[in-house]
């Protein structure tokens, strides 16, 4: 692990030093969620938070646009059909002020024209509600450039790590307890 020494001169020429090391667990990525349905906002907040993300919810497209004008937003999950400003309007404004922001569009209804328009503007994914939570989280991780492992692959990887630890005389109960530790 890398480390740095920060030095500060204080009164009477004394020097204070402090070791600064990068965090082992970097701060979570902020994912903005824009949806006019409060139930959906709460559900998305819980799902993303459970996977280690910080969530910034917005129930109006205009509020999100005001926020993104002064903040770096790596990813937004954007509902396409909202009342005051549609997701397509938000997407067009977002492209003008923050073209580096990645966008996942969500909608409760299939609309080929909206899908084509959003894809032409340049979104990461277009998901129809209700969508699979695991698929959604994989999409979020992929949009942020994180390695994506499915749950089965994670179990397989964990099993492979545990195999060398298993004594030859182990029974099934001992194997299960090793995997859950």
């Amino acid at each position: 692990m890398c480390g740095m020494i920060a030095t500060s001169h204080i009164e009477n020429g004394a020097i204070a030093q402090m070791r600064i090391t990068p965090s082992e667990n970097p701060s979570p990525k902020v994912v903005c969620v824009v949806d006019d349905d409060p139930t959906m906002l709460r559900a998305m907040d819980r799902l993303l938070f459970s996977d280690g993300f910080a969530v910034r919810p917005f129930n109006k497209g205009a509020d999100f646009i005001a926020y993104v004008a002064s903040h770096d937003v790596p990813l937004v999950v954007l509902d396409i059909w909202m009342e005051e400003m549609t997701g397509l309007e938000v997407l067009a404004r977002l492209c003008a002020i923050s073209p580096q922001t990645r966008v996942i569009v969500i909608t409760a209804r299939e609309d080929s024209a909206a899908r084509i328009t959003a894809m032409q503007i340049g979104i990461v994914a277009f998901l129809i509600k209700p969508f699979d939570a695991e698929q959604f989280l994989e999409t979020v991780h992929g949009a942020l450039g994180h390695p994506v492992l499915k749950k089965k692959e994670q179990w397989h990887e964990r099993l492979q790590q545990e195999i060398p630890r298993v004594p030859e005389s182990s029974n099934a109960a001992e194997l299960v307890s090793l995997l859950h530790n």
Side-chain angles (χ1 to χ4, degrees), residues 3 44 51 56 60 64 78 81 92 101 114 118 124 129 137 140-141 151 160 167:
M44 298 292 286
D51 209 42
R56 180 88 167 111
K60 294 181 181 173
F64 168 69
L78 178 63
W81 297 117
T101 299
V124 173
K129 300 175 199 173
L137 290 173
V140 168
H141 282 286
K151 295 224 184 276
Q160 294 301 320

Side-chain angles (χ1 to χ4, degrees), residues 30-34 54-58 64 67 73 75-78:
V30 175
V31 176
C32 291
V33 179
V34 185
V55 180
R56 180 88 167 111
F58 296 90
F64 168 69
Y67 176 81
V73 176
L75 177 66
V76 62
V77 178
L78 178 63

Side-chain angles (χ1 to χ4, degrees), residues 32-101:
C32 291
V33 179
V34 185
D35 197 317
D36 59 352
D37 178 356
T39 304
M40 191 65 182
L41 277 177
R42 278 191 305 276
M44 298 292 286
D45 185 301
R46 287 184 186 129
L47 178 61
L48 289 163
F49 182 79
S50 74
D51 209 42
F53 292 100
V55 180
R56 180 88 167 111
F58 296 90
N59 62 359
K60 294 181 181 173
D63 293 343
F64 168 69
I65 292 299
Y67 176 81
V68 80
S70 61
H71 294 83
D72 180 36
V73 176
L75 177 66
V76 62
V77 178
L78 178 63
D79 184 23
I80 205 85
W81 297 117
M82 297 182 290
E83 293 198 15
E84 292 180 22
M85 181 187 296
T86 71
L88 291 176
E89 292 170 314
V90 172
L91 188 55
R93 291 184 186 186
L94 177 63
C95 287
I97 60 174
S98 183
Q100 73 280 2
T101 299

Side-chain angles (χ1 to χ4, degrees), residues 48 51 53 75 77 102-106 123-127 131-146 148:
L48 289 163
D51 209 42
F53 292 100
L75 177 66
V77 178
R102 298 181 185 274
V103 181
I104 296 172
V105 169
I106 57 174
I123 62 169
V124 173
F126 191 100
L127 303 175
F131 40 79
D132 178 72
E134 187 175 335
Q135 175 196 11
F136 172 73
L137 290 173
E138 287 174 13
T139 303
V140 168
H141 282 286
L144 292 169
H146 299 165
V148 179

